[in-house]
């Protein structure tokens, strides 16, 4: 408190240290509250991966692409994602891709063939197989269920 009332030439260092201490304590409390990893480097890599995935899921589904963009190995990326989100990179890519497919099925008039083409599936039946494996429904059944008022999420 005296530092604030009577500022000295080195007071800014003490103030900076106190603010840094407070930020670390808040970060730890936040991580504990939301059950997040406190490892800053892992958090950074994991969240950068999530951002890249959000921006590039339409074009890229291969782990090597993301590992290269983040300048880490596949193993390191997998460890970071597992620690932060409790799943491996492939599972996370599949989850993001599934959300993208669902959004296009529900909020566009695109056919399954058009969606498959836009998301770089080699054939529409590959998209259908992928979708059914993860949801238990074909893309057509999913769209119909939603249109008939059934809960599909």
């Amino acid at each position: 408190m005296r530092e604030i009332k009577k500022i000295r030439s080195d007071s800014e260092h003490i103030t900076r240290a106190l603010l840094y201490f407070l930020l670390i304590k808040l970060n730890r409390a936040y991580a504990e509250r939301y059950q997040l990893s406190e490892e800053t480097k892992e958090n950074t890599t994991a969240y950068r991966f999530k951002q890249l995935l959000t921006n590039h899921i339409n074009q890229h589904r291969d782990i090597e692409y993301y590992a290269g963009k983040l300048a880490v190995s596949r193993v390191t990326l997998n460890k970071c994602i597992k620690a932060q989100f409790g799943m491996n990179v492939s599972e996370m890519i599949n989850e993001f891709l599934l959300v993208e497919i669902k959004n296009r099925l529900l909020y566009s008039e695109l056919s399954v063939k058009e969606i498959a083409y836009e998301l770089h599936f080699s054939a529409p039946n590959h998209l259908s197989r992928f979708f059914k494996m993860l949801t238990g429904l074909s893309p057509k059944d999913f769209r119909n269920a939603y249109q008939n008022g059934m809960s599909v999420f």
Side-chain angles (χ1 to χ4, degrees):
M1 191 68 165
R2 278 187 266 173
E3 290 299 323
I4 295 172
K5 289 181 180 177
K6 187 173 181 181
I7 295 177
R8 296 182 183 180
S9 62
D10 62 352
S11 292
E12 75 177 73
H13 299 293
I14 292 172
T15 304
R16 186 179 301 119
L18 289 171
L19 286 172
Y20 187 69
F21 172 78
L22 181 61
L23 288 172
I24 290 172
K25 294 295 278 182
L26 288 171
N27 190 46
R28 287 179 182 171
Y30 182 86
E32 185 178 323
R33 169 74 171 93
Y34 293 101
Q35 300 170 345
L36 301 173
S37 168
E38 292 182 31
E39 300 303 318
T40 307
K41 185 175 183 195
E42 286 183 5
N43 282 349
T44 302
T45 301
Y47 286 110
R48 285 178 48 221
F49 168 71
K50 193 173 178 181
Q51 186 63 48
L52 279 171
L53 194 54
T54 300
N55 293 333
H56 298 279
I57 191 65
N58 296 345
Q59 298 87 21
H60 300 284
R61 295 193 304 267
D62 55 303
I63 297 170
E64 290 81 13
Y65 172 81
Y66 296 103
K69 283 289 207 184
L70 296 166
V72 298
S73 71
R74 288 175 53 123
V75 173
T76 300
L77 182 57
N78 248 329
K79 283 181 184 177
C80 292
I81 298 308
K82 187 75 167 176
Q84 189 62 42
F85 301 115
M87 63 179 70
N88 66 40
V89 174
S90 294
E91 292 168 332
M92 196 161 185
I93 289 171
N94 287 344
E95 191 174 288
F96 271 65
L97 185 58
L98 181 63
V99 167
E100 191 64 34
I101 294 167
K102 284 180 176 182
N103 283 333
R104 290 174 192 228
L105 286 169
L106 299 180
Y107 306 115
S108 78
E109 297 296 321
L110 296 173
S111 68
V112 172
K113 182 179 179 179
E114 292 168 320
I115 294 170
Y117 175 75
E118 284 188 356
L119 296 177
H120 302 283
F121 280 87
S122 56
N125 65 326
H126 292 156
L127 181 144
S128 294
R129 209 171 326 142
F130 170 82
F131 192 85
K132 187 163 188 166
M133 181 181 70
L134 295 177
T135 65
L137 295 170
S138 70
K140 182 180 177 183
D141 291 342
F142 177 83
R143 187 178 261 170
N144 289 339
Y146 179 77
Q147 290 171 346
N148 292 328
M150 297 175 66
S151 175
V152 289
F153 283 98

